[in-house]
Amino acid sequence: MKLLRYGPAGAEKPAIVAQDGTVRDLSGVIADFTGEVLSDAGLARLAAIELATLPQVSVDRIGACVPRPGKFICVGLNYADHAKETGKTPPEEPILFMKATSAVVGPNDDVEIPRGSKKADWEVELGVVIGTRAKYVSEADALNHVAGYCVVNDVSERAFQSERGGQWTKGKSHDTFGPTGPWLVTRDEVADPQNLALWLDVDGVRRQTGNTNTMIFGVAHLVSYISQFMTLEPGDVIATGTPPGVGMGIKPEPVFLKPGQVMTLGIEGLGEQRQQTVEARD
């Protein structure tokens, strides 16, 4: 299933994409994609619905495919080529950091360039949405705790991230720095999360091309690993790292975002995003 949320920011409704490409409203069946809805049983109930009985709707705006997650966990330097372009040694264990959940926006919403920003950057990433509670889960069982997958743009401000002291979080958490969606594609429709093509363009120029098969730590390992340190709850999102081609890695001079540019990005089978960069608002 392809699940999405549509409507004005803060008033999104749940919906599903039918086989014929039409969007069908789910708000008469569920309130939103939270808690029990993302469990295997909850998703099975949605899969059993005859979609032709649901209202067909037109969509002007797509929201983030899950409501604001309890946790937005990111994995750093999880592609060896990306680690190399940043001048870092590939890690021996996953590098974890948090992105503020207030950064989450829809896949086609504007992305703000923060005040004082000089090194705003892009990162296409595979997002993993947790469906059932995971604590101390084994790698063999880890994917059973996943509801599905989505596209994430882990927008970053490199100077805030690496030149202002402390952890990476403040370079990752500006409002709008977490476009998520368009869809949550349930795990039954993703045959192998370790074989998905990713890409990102800026102003029509291809900047990132990659495949999840070059991850250092795969999805099952990441879910299991993270669950050793914190309980993963339904609706939590894990952004699993980015392939090479980020702005900070461009030679001979890095290239960074400024207001008035357009990012387009996508992942095989999971849909596409499009964002325009704008000056930060109050």
Side-chain angles (χ1 to χ4, degrees):
M1 292 181 290
K2 293 182 174 67
L3 306 176
L4 74 151
R5 300 169 68 248
Y6 75 100
E12 294 93 344
K13 295 181 179 181
I16 185 170
V17 180
Q19 290 270 347
D20 62 2
T22 60
V23 177
R24 302 285 175 161
D25 183 86
L26 283 169
S27 61
V29 180
I30 59 172
D32 213 335
F33 299 122
T34 56
E36 292 183 1
V37 176
L38 294 176
S39 69
D40 285 352
L43 294 176
R45 285 192 289 271
L46 293 184
I49 296 172
E50 177 53 58
L51 298 188
T53 66
L54 299 175
Q56 181 177 338
V57 294
S58 60
V59 176
D60 293 325
R61 175 186 175 272
I62 299 175
C65 58
V66 291
R68 183 176 293 183
K71 293 188 285 296
F72 198 137
I73 306 160
C74 300
V75 183
L77 304 178
N78 196 29
Y79 289 71
D81 287 349
H82 172 56
K84 181 179 179 180
E85 73 177 348
T86 64
K88 305 288 179 60
T89 301
E92 296 183 3
E93 291 192 40
I95 296 171
L96 304 182
F97 61 93
M98 296 290 197
K99 182 185 284 283
T101 57
S102 54
V104 176
V105 291
N108 304 315
D109 289 345
D110 291 343
V111 166
E112 294 184 2
I113 303 301
R115 293 176 183 175
S117 170
K118 296 180 180 178
K119 297 183 179 181
D121 207 345
W122 55 83
E123 295 189 24
V124 60
E125 306 201 5
L126 173 65
V128 178
V129 180
I130 298 299
T132 56
R133 182 178 182 272
K135 183 176 183 179
Y136 296 123
V137 299
S138 67
E139 189 166 338
D141 189 44
L143 295 187
N144 292 327
H145 294 263
V146 172
Y149 304 93
C150 62
V151 182
V152 170
N153 189 354
D154 177 23
V155 186
S156 310
E157 213 299 338
R158 302 301 187 186
F160 296 178
Q161 176 184 352
S162 301
E163 300 171 21
R164 299 286 297 272
Q167 300 177 346
W168 290 5
T169 303
K170 62 185 162 188
K172 298 283 187 171
S173 295
H174 183 80
D175 294 350
T176 75
F177 269 23
T180 304
W183 314 309
L184 189 168
V185 180
T186 51
R187 74 170 189 268
D188 60 296
E189 293 198 6
V190 179
D192 183 2
Q194 300 309 146
N195 189 27
L196 300 174
L198 309 87
W199 60 272
L200 182 145
D201 295 349
V202 179
D203 292 337
V205 177
R206 181 59 47 93
R207 292 301 189 184
Q208 288 188 276
T209 302
N211 193 293
T212 58
N213 61 22
T214 63
M215 283 183 183
I216 298 171
F217 306 105
V219 172
H221 182 86
L222 291 173
V223 172
S224 174
Y225 181 87
I226 295 168
S227 79
Q228 311 304 309
F229 301 97
M230 65 192 83
T231 300
L232 295 169
E233 301 285 357
D236 286 350
V237 174
I238 303 169
T240 56
T242 198
V246 298
M248 70 180 295
I250 294 175
K251 303 293 190 294
E253 292 293 333
V255 175
F256 297 111
L257 295 167
K258 58 185 182 297
Q261 295 187 284
V262 174
M263 291 179 282
T264 52
L265 58 147
I267 299 178
E268 178 183 0
L270 303 185
E272 299 183 4
Q273 301 184 354
R274 181 185 187 279
Q275 300 109 28
Q276 182 164 338
T277 56
V278 299
E279 293 183 359
R281 306 181 180 99
D282 291 335

